[in-house]
Each structure stands twice: as structure tokens, then as C-alpha cells.
Amino acid sequence: MNRGKYIVLTNNPLVFDKLEKTHEVIYLETTYEGLLREVRDRIHDGHLLLTHPLSGSVKPNETPYKSVLISAGKEEVDRRSLTIIENAIDACHKFQDKTGRYGESVLEDFQLIDWTLLESGLASADAW
Amino acid sequence: MRLEMGHIYIKDIQFASESKIEDGILYVSEEAVKAVALEDEKIKSVSFDIAKPGESVRITPVKDVIEPRVKVEGRGGIFPGVISKVDTVGEGKTYALKGMAVVTAGKIVGFQEGIIDMTGPGADYTPFSKTLNLVMVCEPIDNIKQHEYEKAVRFAGFRVATYIGELARDLTPDETKVYETCTIKEGMEKYPDLPRVAYVQMLQSQGLLHDTYVYGVDAKKIVPTILSPTEIMDGAIVSGNCVSACDKNPTYVHLNNPVVHDLFEQHGKTLNFVCQIITNENVYLADKQRSSDWTAKLCKMLDLDGVIVSQEGFGNPDTDLIMNCKKIEAEGVKTVIITDEYAGRDGKSQSLADADQAADAVVTGGNANQVVILPKLDKVIGTLDYVTKIAGASEETLREDGSLEVELQVLTGATNETGFNKLSAR
Amino acid sequence: MVKEIERAGIPVVHICTVTPISMTVGANRIVPAIAIPHPLGNPALDKDEEKELRRKIVEKALKALTTEVDGQTIFE
Amino acid sequence: MAKLKVVHYINQFFAQIGGEEKADYPVELRVGEVVGPGMALTQNFKDEAEIIATIVCGDSYFNENLEKAKAEILEMVKEQAPDIFIAGPAFNAGRYGVACGTIAAAVQEELGIPSLTGMYVENPGADMFKNQVYMVSTKNSAAGMRDAVKKMAPLAVKLGKGEKIGSSAEEGYMPNGIRVNFFEKERGSQRAVKMLIKKLAGKPFETEFPMPDFDRVDPNPAVKDLAHAKIALVTSGGIVPKGNPDHIESSSASHYGEYDITGVTDLTEDTYETAHGGYDPVYANEDADRVLPVDVLRDMEKEGIIGELHHLFYTTTGNGTAVASAKAFADEFSKKLVADGVDAVILTST
């Protein structure tokens, strides 16, 4: 495992629980879009986007959770990363916010799905 | 490869004491299909129902739709690596039961989506309002993990479809179609003047509930590869994808992939249909780069003149779609891409999450955010409990008169990105 | 206008205060300017300092013109 | 059901008053009259609508007295209180197209009366207004009148009745950035195969979804030898010689300026100013080098950093200048720049 080469940004408590001890995780109590904005700030700062911010077919504002991998190291601002994150933030506005209406078990399902999407990214990240 | 597809038209489905097909009528022994479904101990109970076109019936939450088939000649069997042993399929003779489908339903996650209306405005949008549907609603054992449940339902659907398909083994098809592809060299010699065309199919591969399997292999672990387009007709590709009902590809769509069939229509006439290339839609950006690089490389190595690229899903795959299109065009291979749009309820938002000028030939399956009112129907197969929670449904979803206000997103197959429907947008 | 100049075959650098606009209008070489009413100046400075500031921006613009770019690039 | 009431706007040419020489014809309201293309529209209304008044206005009059003409026409339309307002069709007539777009948008916006116009896709009025009012796509000359009114009349009736408007492909209006679903005759995969066959054969095909930024131009190669390069200055900041000799308008510029700076080493308060109306002009008027850095480039020319500063610069006012006309200006002066052997351009904007 090549831990330390990437950082996990998440607002998903399940992801934090699972990775807290073994990975560099930044947990933020924020919305889906808020999380994407945090990712964008870091891309402006020179981090590289490693996983797609719109991972998963569950739509923004439908699921409240999002986890994204970015590089631990910083370089020149990566334009490709910037374009992807900007488009992703834009896309948030196309969907009505439904995040306030779920029961606990549905939220847990959303957390799980977000985790598995991230997990598939981690598998690729760790293969490097 | 040469595959003979025998079509057996099903005119009606009825429950009966014995399963059989007679005069185009499928008789299903409920007891027998239940036993097939319950072979997996993770499924606690299953109920079967029949929904016919025009009936006041709503099926939800739909997981997969499968067309029953049986392989009567040639290597392997239907759903290789999943139900049948691993063996290369796509040649010989296969029978398909046309006009019907096995529909699996059940709440795998709390926000499970997918509606099939057999009548009304919803029926105009979902292609599965036109099939006679044998619906199975599976309940899992207690405390099962979601991914185990998904897998159990996925396999139960394939088992039941295979069981039904087997009933046709000794029948005589109503119609036979022959699909034949050439090897590279044969094709060059046989059709020296026709443009060499392939179909690039992007498979959903992002993780749990977002997976597709190729001969049983999880598509996120493949590098782009080549298939004979006849392989899909024997179930080489199956769906494990439960999210984004409107633009996910149910197994039915994989079996009947419209791009494959419409390219075959033109094969030897206006073009030479060389092969199908499959690639994936992973979440890791470096995976995307590798897969799109490889896809473009294969197009180049195969000396293609043109390709049709189809997408599956929303957001993340937009990036794969544009990367594929751009890189394939850069190799001098002409592309047409098929997608759908999320342009907002008012149609004013940017439809895709990525764009490039290389994508100058786009076919769209329509705006998935369009609002549609679904009237109250007499019967629900499955459960409506979660309809208010499904994608595209809103606060006011359940209106006073019992009708539902939803976005097209929730209707199974409504904005399919393989070009399965007539819906479009401008 | 920037696209038409580029299309005519002449490399062009766009000195522009609001760079997102420059991106939108399709400039490929972009140099950020100071402020809308005085893109290449700053009245708060004395004459010599202001000219020096202007020269820096023009130098950046010339550097942009002598740099090969692959798509839209902002020269900060 | 009562017929829908229509007010129709046309120019001096279609009112058969005259051509260019009559373009200064002032606004005129003809109540109860159906004029020129109005006849063809009436036929196509099929008794569902009728023209209750025609407004005639010369193209020059409209464009040169924009605010006045607009106010006059709005007043007339208001008075007639129609269910729908139709302007044109303007086909390829540029100023007529701009007038139709302007007035149709104004009627809709300010009076809340649904409006419709029609013109050729390359008419400058098309890009300016197609996203504001429904605009039927017509052929490029009046020979396309039959075809144009065939699309405009039914669309006008639908608009007047407040019916749901279908997609641009069904109704014949220019895509206006709003995506509308509809059912095609063939399934998507068939459409894709047909599109590919056309594309492979080099035949024209129509994408169902135009990419948002598809009009990008690839960057030209970098300047290799700056010390011998001829650099030209272009600005959208409206810098002009003092007194604005060519009367470049402060907004909605209808022409661009070309000025000789041979021997000019510094732009001063006494010699140059800005014609731009979109920003506080004080700083640019004090020292136009703040927008157009002639002083610095002259220094660099002397120092041998650049080969030469081109003796002409080009100026427009970015504010309010329609994209289409800015494009036309730039096309024109870019050709001159190429002919004059310019190696690179510095474009400054405010």
C-alpha cells in the first residue's frame, strides 16, 4: 500500500470511521456541494484531483455524502482537475435538494454507497 | 462468428400448474419458479406477478429487466461466467422469447429507484411497458449486507430467466435472424470499399450497485477489449447496476443492444461492422485515462474509419465519454456519441458535466430532469414506500389525488444511452 | 474578437481584467490585468512606478506570445 | 372562439415603400391593414388569428433612433393590445433582423405580450435575440417567405393561446438554449448509425446536442523571434484620438476605429481619450496608456526587445457591442493585420 500519496476529503462519517486510523482523511461537516468546493480550494492550491467528484449515479443533492481523493503533494494548478471540479459544482444546481428528508436507514445506505464508490477509487490508488 | 437468433413470440403469460410454452403462451408454474429463485439461501421469500401492457399497474422499485434466452447450438450457454460455465459464446444458435421480460424488483437500498408503468404517460417513456412482464419481488434474509442482497437478486433474476428460456429449447422459432461478423482479414477482402465501423460501449463500473459484468468479470477491472458483437446476444454482458433508472442498461438492453443490432442492419451494405469494443467508467481519473487511451489505441490498431460510442449513467461517465470521443477523433476515427442530458427541470442548465469540440456528432436520449405526472394506478407490484425517496422525486412527489410528480430519471430505461428509445431533445 | 484574430493565423494575447470572461470568449493566451478602469495602470502609483507596472504586464504578454500553449492558458 | 389578435411589424421594404433610399421612413401604425407578408401569415393562420394592425418602420430610422423608435412602437402595440406580436420575417437583412429582434424582445419583456420573429440563422439579429424571443429559422432571402410563414403562423397561434411549445426541431424555431424533450421517429441507435454514415461520407449532419464551447480556435504557434516581430495593438477599451473623430459610439458600436500611431511614443491626456461608456473613463482619459500601452511598447521597440510596433491600432467599445458585429469587425481588421505582416497581437480589454 502506498498510503500518504493521497488525501481523502469526505463529509461521510462512515468513511472517516473506516479510514481514520490508516489514511490521511480530512473530515468536513458540510454539504455535497460544500465538499466539492473544499476540493476546488485545494486544487487551486496545487493538489491534483484523483477521483471523479461526480462518482456514482446517485445525484448530487439526492445523496448528502461525497468523498474525493486528491494528491498529497502539490504542484502547478492542474487545469484538467480544475475543469472537472468546476463542472461538477455547476452540476449540483441541476438537482433539487432532497437530503433533508431521509430516515436514518436511508442515510446509512447513502453512506455505504459513497464508501463503496470511494473504495473502488482507493483500490486503483493503492495499485500505483 | 455466425449466430442464428431464433425469435419466439410470446403473446401472453399465465400462471399454471406446469411451466411450458404453447402456441405463444407462456405458462408459468409459480411453485417451480419460486424454487428456482429460492435456491439462494440469502433470499427469504419471493413473490411472482404478471404485468401486461395497458394494465393499470406500476412496478417499483425495479432492479433489472431480463429477456429469457436459451442456447440450442454452439459453444457455451446463456450468461457465461454467471449462470453457464465460462466459454466463449456468440456462435451457433440461440432462441429468445420476444415480447416478454423477467423483471426483478425489491428494495436493496433505501433509495432504490426504478418505475415501470404499464399504462399512462409513464408508459410512453419506459420501453418495458410494451413487454409482458413476469415480475419477481425478492425479500432477503434478515441482517443481510446490501451488496450480498444485490448479488442474490441479480443471480435469482438470471436463474429464473434461464429457467424460462429453457422452456423454448425444443420449439421452432417464429422468425430467424442471422448475425455474422468477419475476421479482420476476411472483412478487408469482402468489403474493401466499405468504411470499417465498430461500436464502443462504455460499461458502468463505479462500485457497489454501479457494476457491470463481462463473462462474470467485474468491468472495473478490465482493460478495454474486443468482442464479437454476437457475444452480447448470449448474455456476455450483464447488469449489476441499480442506480439511475433512466439511463442504466438493464440486462435486457445488453442482450438486445440497439447499436449492435442497427449496425448489423447496415453490415455489408453501407459499412463493415468490424467489432464491439468494451471499456469502463471508473471513478479513478488515471483509470479513465488508461481506458480511453486503450480504446483509442484499439480503434487505431483495427484501422477503423468510424465508431459509435455509447454511455451509461450520469456525471462521472460524461468525462469518460468526452475523453473517449476526443482521443478516438484524434486518431482520425470519426465518432458519433450517444448520451442523455441533465439540463435541469427548466431545460436551461448545461446538459453534460464535460464537453469538447471534438464531440460534434451527438445523439441524445433526452433531458432526464423533465417532469412528468404519473397518475395513480390501480395496482402496485413491489412497494411505493420509497417512491418519495427515489432519484428525481421531490417533496411534492405524492400529490393529493394520488398521482406522482417525478422527473424522467425514475422511469426505468427512459433516457437510455444506447439509443434504445425514440425520445430526444433539442 | 480574440478568436477572429487567432483564426486569421496571428498569435494573440488577451490582457483582461476579468479572466473568466477571457476564457469564455475563447482566448488561448491570457494575462490578467489590474482593474477595469485602468487595466494596465494604477493611478495610485507615481508615474514611473506605474509605467514599470505596465511594462511588467506587457513583458508577461510578450512572454505569453513566445510560449507554445496547448489550449487556454492564463499567464499569472 | 374569437380570433387571436395579432400586431405585425415590418420594414419599409416589405411595406413596398422603397429600398435603402427609404430606410429612414419613420414609424407608422396602420390599424386594420394587412400588409405584404401579413397576407401570407393571414392565410396560414387558418381563421385562428387575424392581423389587427401593421406597424411599418424604416430600418435606418429604427437603428439610428433606437430608443425613440422603440418607445413609439411599444406605445402603439400597447394601444392595440394584441394577443401576439410578430416581427418580420427578416431573412438575411441585417438591420431589419436586429430591429425585429429588438422590438420583439422589448414587446415581450416590457408589455408581457408573447412575441415571435423569424430570420436567417446568420442574420446578426439571430445571435443577439434568439435566446430572448422565439425566432423561426428562415432561408436567407425573401424567396423563403412561404416556408417561413408556414412555420411562423402556427407557432404564433400556439404562443397566443399559451399552449405548450415543443422542441425547436418540431416547431422550427432556432435553438434557444432551453432543452425540450420530444419523440423522434427513429430510435437513438438508428439515428446514430445514420449520423455516422453521413459523417463518414463527408456529408452534412446535424448534431442533436451542440457542444457548449464548440467554437474554440486552436492557439497559433508562439512567436519565435520577438526581436524581429511586428506587434500590433488592438483594444476593446475604446481608445481613440482626442475628440473621437470617427464618432465611435460609447456602446453598441456600429463601426471600429483604425488609427495611425506613427511617431507617437506616449498617449497623453491632450491627444487620446476613451469612447467607452461601460466604465469610469477618468483614468483612461488621464492617460490612455493605461488601456493601450503604447509608451511601454515604444520603449521596447527602441531597446530591440520587439522588432516593431505596428503603425496602426484598432479599437472598439466592448460594452454593448453585439457579439456578431464585434466578430464582423474583427474578421475585417484581422485580414488587414495579416496583409500588413503583423506577427502577433496584444489585445487589451477593460
Side-chain angles (χ1 to χ4, degrees):
Chain A
M1 295 266 269
N2 279 317
R3 273 174 228 149
K5 283 176 70 184
Y6 54 81
I7 303 170
V8 181
L9 256 73
T10 185
N11 65 355
N12 180 350
L14 178 68
V15 167
F16 186 60
D17 281 354
K18 291 209 186 248
L19 298 180
E20 183 191 9
K21 294 205 174 68
T22 51
H23 290 69
E24 188 175 353
V25 189
I26 300 174
Y27 175 73
L28 300 153
E29 281 195 18
T30 180
T31 59
Y32 186 108
E33 186 179 338
L35 197 277
L36 295 191
R37 290 184 181 276
E38 291 281 347
V39 171
R40 180 179 62 182
D41 289 350
R42 283 164 178 80
I43 290 169
H44 283 179
D45 205 25
H47 293 274
L48 204 63
L49 187 64
L50 295 182
T51 58
H52 200 288
L54 295 177
S55 56
S57 298
V58 190
K59 309 298 183 295
N61 300 342
E62 182 193 359
T63 175
Y65 302 111
K66 179 46 67 184
S67 305
V68 177
L69 289 186
I70 61 170
S71 65
K74 292 194 279 187
E75 285 173 47
E76 287 261 295
V77 175
D78 179 51
R79 286 191 50 80
R80 182 72 189 149
S81 298
L82 203 56
T83 313
I84 293 175
I85 192 72
E86 287 291 349
N87 285 333
I89 291 169
D90 260 6
C92 291
H93 304 142
K94 301 193 283 192
F95 301 93
Q96 295 187 320
D97 192 349
K98 293 180 228 126
T99 52
R101 297 187 281 124
Y102 303 117
E104 196 56 34
S105 76
V106 178
L107 287 177
E108 279 171 17
D109 283 346
F110 277 129
Q111 291 177 8
L112 178 80
I113 292 300
D114 177 63
W115 158 246
T116 58
L117 292 166
L118 178 72
E119 213 180 7
S120 82
L122 287 173
S124 290
D126 289 334
W128 282 58
Chain B
M1 278 200 206
R2 182 181 192 278
L3 180 69
E4 218 176 291
M5 279 299 311
H7 293 169
I8 290 155
Y9 289 101
I10 300 300
K11 297 186 288 241
D12 195 17
I13 305 180
Q14 295 171 13
F15 286 120
S17 56
E18 188 199 346
S19 296
K20 63 180 174 187
I21 300 167
E22 250 176 39
D23 299 328
I25 297 169
L26 169 64
Y27 298 93
V28 179
S29 153
E30 224 177 326
E31 204 182 331
V33 283
K34 271 186 182 167
V36 171
L38 293 172
E39 277 170 26
D40 188 336
E41 69 225 10
K42 295 203 171 61
I43 297 175
K44 187 168 71 181
S45 67
V46 61
S47 61
F48 281 83
D49 216 326
I50 295 164
K52 301 178 185 178
E55 286 181 344
S56 184
V57 174
R58 172 164 299 144
I59 312 168
T60 188
V62 172
K63 176 184 172 352
D64 199 7
V65 184
I66 311 157
E67 186 178 75
R69 296 190 170 200
V70 59
K71 189 128 196 78
V72 291
E73 272 176 31
R75 282 172 69 180
I78 299 297
F79 305 129
V82 178
I83 296 294
S84 303
K85 280 183 301 188
V86 173
D87 201 346
T88 304
V89 292
E91 60 176 348
K93 196 186 280 184
T94 299
Y95 293 165
L97 301 189
K98 306 309 282 187
M100 74 154 293
V102 171
V103 175
T104 55
K107 183 202 75 119
I108 289 159
V109 284
F111 53 91
Q112 180 70 38
E113 53 182 0
I115 294 177
I116 295 173
D117 275 5
M118 301 307 289
T119 188
D124 294 341
Y125 291 100
T126 175
F128 307 110
S129 62
K130 287 111 197 155
T131 46
L132 292 157
N133 297 323
L134 180 64
V135 188
M136 47 191 283
V137 182
C138 299
E139 290 293 329
I141 53 168
D142 297 338
N143 300 320
I144 190 172
K145 293 266 185 269
Q146 290 92 333
H147 67 273
E148 291 173 325
Y149 182 19
E150 186 279 325
K151 189 177 174 187
V153 178
R154 175 167 21 110
F155 274 79
F158 297 146
R159 281 198 306 276
V160 169
T162 306
Y163 167 86
I164 303 284
E166 279 293 336
L167 301 176
R169 184 174 284 280
D170 299 322
L171 298 182
T172 306
D174 299 310
E175 178 192 35
T176 296
K177 287 197 172 174
V178 177
Y179 299 96
E180 189 167 11
T181 51
C182 324
T183 64
I184 301 283
K185 198 173 136 198
E186 276 168 12
M188 291 284 220
E189 288 167 1
K190 204 166 167 189
Y191 309 114
D193 300 324
L194 293 182
R196 298 167 56 73
V197 172
Y199 168 38
V200 175
Q201 188 182 13
M202 293 168 41
L203 305 173
Q204 182 63 261
S205 59
Q206 301 190 62
L208 178 62
L209 307 193
H210 293 79
D211 287 320
T212 306
Y213 299 86
V214 182
Y215 282 86
V217 179
D218 184 346
K220 69 172 155 293
K221 293 174 183 157
I222 66 164
V223 287
T225 190
I226 301 173
L227 297 186
S228 162
T230 53
E231 291 177 62
I232 55 124
M233 300 179 190
D234 283 337
I237 303 174
V238 300
S239 168
N241 185 7
C242 310
V243 194
S244 207
C246 64
D247 55 15
K248 72 168 186 180
N249 293 330
T251 301
Y252 187 99
V253 169
H254 286 299
L255 290 163
N256 288 289
N257 191 306
V259 179
V260 166
H261 286 80
D262 289 339
L263 282 172
F264 264 124
E265 274 298 309
Q266 293 299 321
H267 180 53
K269 296 176 194 161
T270 57
L271 52 82
N272 173 10
F273 186 13
V274 178
C275 67
Q276 181 172 357
I277 299 170
I278 50 168
T279 180
N280 49 19
E281 302 174 344
N282 290 9
V283 300
Y284 198 65
L285 295 176
D287 290 349
K288 294 183 183 306
Q289 187 180 341
R290 183 193 309 113
S291 288
S292 53
D293 283 350
W294 273 60
T295 302
K297 178 189 73 180
L298 289 175
C299 290
K300 176 80 182 164
M301 288 178 72
L302 290 163
D303 266 318
L304 299 176
D305 296 302
V307 295
I308 292 173
V309 188
S310 74
Q311 184 187 357
E312 182 175 2
F314 143 88
N316 169 45
D318 293 353
T319 298
D320 298 279
L321 179 70
I322 295 299
M323 285 171 98
N324 281 322
C325 173
K326 206 171 154 177
K327 290 178 185 180
I328 295 169
E329 284 275 347
E331 293 293 354
V333 180
K334 301 267 197 295
T335 62
V336 171
I337 63 176
I338 312 178
T339 183
D340 67 349
E341 303 180 45
Y342 288 83
R345 288 188 164 208
D346 59 7
K348 289 180 181 169
S349 297
Q350 199 43 257
S351 295
L352 299 180
D354 208 341
D356 191 88
Q357 67 194 61
D360 63 355
V362 184
V363 167
T364 171
N367 177 14
N369 292 125
Q370 186 204 307
V371 172
V372 55
I373 310 288
L374 305 179
K376 189 174 191 294
L377 298 185
D378 296 345
K379 177 177 166 186
V380 173
I381 302 178
T383 168
L384 266 181
D385 293 359
Y386 299 92
V387 155
T388 52
K389 304 258 165 39
I390 60 184
S394 71
E395 200 93 33
E396 308 75 35
T397 295
L398 203 50
R399 310 196 319 170
E400 259 175 37
D401 59 357
S403 65
L404 296 168
E405 180 187 314
V406 294
E407 293 180 17
L408 285 187
Q409 284 188 65
V410 306
L411 293 164
T412 299
T415 60
N416 183 279
E417 293 165 286
T418 64
F420 203 72
N421 306 319
K422 290 177 180 170
L423 189 67
S424 181
R426 290 292 190 285
Chain C
M1 292 197 295
V2 68
K3 272 191 299 202
E4 283 67 35
I5 299 170
E6 192 94 75
R7 196 176 278 133
I10 307 173
V12 51
V13 57
H14 192 195
I15 302 177
C16 178
T17 310
V18 190
T19 52
I21 295 182
S22 189
M23 297 290 285
T24 315
V25 299
N28 289 313
R29 294 176 170 92
I30 301 166
V31 170
I34 307 291
I36 287 173
H38 44 82
L40 288 110
N42 184 351
L45 303 174
D46 64 40
K47 275 277 163 200
D48 290 346
E49 282 174 351
E50 191 184 11
K51 194 168 172 187
E52 192 49 41
L53 172 77
R54 175 150 59 247
R55 178 155 177 140
K56 287 242 163 64
I57 299 171
V58 173
E59 279 170 354
K60 218 180 275 175
L62 293 173
K63 181 172 175 275
L65 284 171
T66 51
T67 306
E68 300 292 353
V69 295
D70 175 25
Q72 298 187 295
T73 311
I74 298 175
F75 292 83
E76 295 284 355
Chain D
M1 202 186 118
K3 287 184 185 178
L4 293 168
K5 291 183 287 177
V6 179
V7 169
H8 186 208
Y9 173 92
I10 55 173
N11 71 354
Q12 83 286 349
F13 178 78
F14 284 98
Q16 291 171 342
I17 291 163
E20 195 53 41
E21 76 287 356
K22 296 285 184 191
D24 56 354
Y25 196 82
V27 182
E28 181 185 53
L29 174 70
R30 302 188 187 175
V31 179
E33 279 188 48
V34 179
V35 187
M39 315 267 189
L41 278 170
T42 303
Q43 279 172 14
N44 283 272
F45 285 146
K46 301 202 169 86
D47 288 335
E48 292 203 81
E50 64 179 334
I51 293 172
I52 55 161
T54 301
I55 296 170
V56 180
C57 180
D59 290 333
S60 298
Y61 183 87
F62 186 93
N63 285 293
E64 281 164 20
N65 307 282
L66 185 65
E67 292 310 317
K68 183 164 174 272
K70 213 162 91 175
E72 287 170 351
I73 296 166
L74 283 174
E75 192 49 45
M76 292 171 181
V77 177
K78 197 175 168 186
E79 205 180 280
Q80 297 297 318
D83 300 303
I84 172 108
F85 177 77
I86 301 177
F91 305 103
N92 201 26
R95 285 174 309 157
Y96 186 26
V98 173
C100 285
T102 308
I103 198 63
V107 167
Q108 187 158 289
E109 175 82 3
E110 293 178 30
L111 304 180
I113 296 168
S115 298
L116 170 69
T117 180
M119 64 192 72
Y120 181 52
V121 64
E122 285 177 21
N123 190 314
D127 266 350
M128 291 166 73
F129 296 102
K130 68 181 179 194
N131 290 355
Q132 293 177 43
V133 284
Y134 283 110
M135 184 181 287
V136 164
S137 181
T138 73
K139 296 190 174 143
N140 65 357
S141 80
M145 182 65 81
R146 261 176 66 132
D147 176 64
V149 295
K150 220 186 250 172
K151 290 191 246 173
M152 286 174 77
L155 183 54
V157 169
K158 271 193 180 180
L159 281 167
K161 287 184 181 166
E163 284 177 8
K164 189 171 172 284
I165 306 298
S167 68
S168 55
E170 296 164 286
E171 309 277 8
Y173 61 86
M174 284 180 211
N176 56 2
I178 300 174
R179 304 293 291 171
V180 180
N181 284 346
F182 71 106
F183 288 98
E184 285 271 10
K185 289 186 188 67
E186 293 175 323
R187 67 180 182 179
S189 50
Q190 265 169 312
R191 305 191 318 260
V193 171
K194 283 191 172 170
M195 200 182 283
L196 183 63
I197 290 169
K198 282 186 188 163
K199 192 170 172 180
L200 285 168
K203 289 185 187 151
F205 60 89
E206 206 171 320
T207 182
E208 296 178 4
F209 175 72
M211 285 289 133
D213 58 349
F214 83 105
D215 187 24
R216 285 276 179 256
V217 181
D218 288 337
N220 284 304
V223 175
K224 299 278 179 306
D225 181 8
L226 198 59
H228 294 95
K230 190 194 262 192
I231 309 286
L233 277 171
V234 176
T235 185
S236 62
I239 301 302
V240 292
K242 189 88 179 172
N244 193 3
D246 296 325
H247 308 291
I248 307 279
E249 297 102 323
S250 63
S251 66
S252 301
S254 57
H255 51 293
Y256 62 91
E258 176 190 76
Y259 300 106
D260 197 328
I261 43 170
T262 307
V264 176
T265 56
D266 189 13
L267 309 182
T268 66
E269 196 170 356
D270 300 329
T271 52
Y272 288 87
E273 64 179 11
T274 179
H276 203 296
Y279 63 89
D280 181 354
V282 174
Y283 303 108
N285 287 341
E286 269 176 18
D287 182 358
D289 291 304
R290 285 170 176 157
V291 177
L292 198 73
V294 172
D295 57 348
V296 167
L297 281 161
R298 282 297 184 210
D299 289 350
M300 291 176 151
E301 189 180 31
K302 213 176 291 169
E303 294 162 28
I305 295 172
I306 61 167
E308 182 189 338
L309 177 61
H310 184 44
H311 72 285
L312 297 172
F313 78 86
Y314 294 90
T315 193
T316 70
T317 51
N319 177 51
T321 307
V323 178
S325 61
K327 183 172 143 38
F329 299 161
D331 273 337
E332 196 174 313
F333 67 66
S334 294
K335 284 194 192 99
K336 296 185 186 178
L337 291 169
V338 172
D340 288 341
V342 168
D343 296 301
V345 167
I346 296 176
L347 167 66
T348 67
S349 291
T350 50

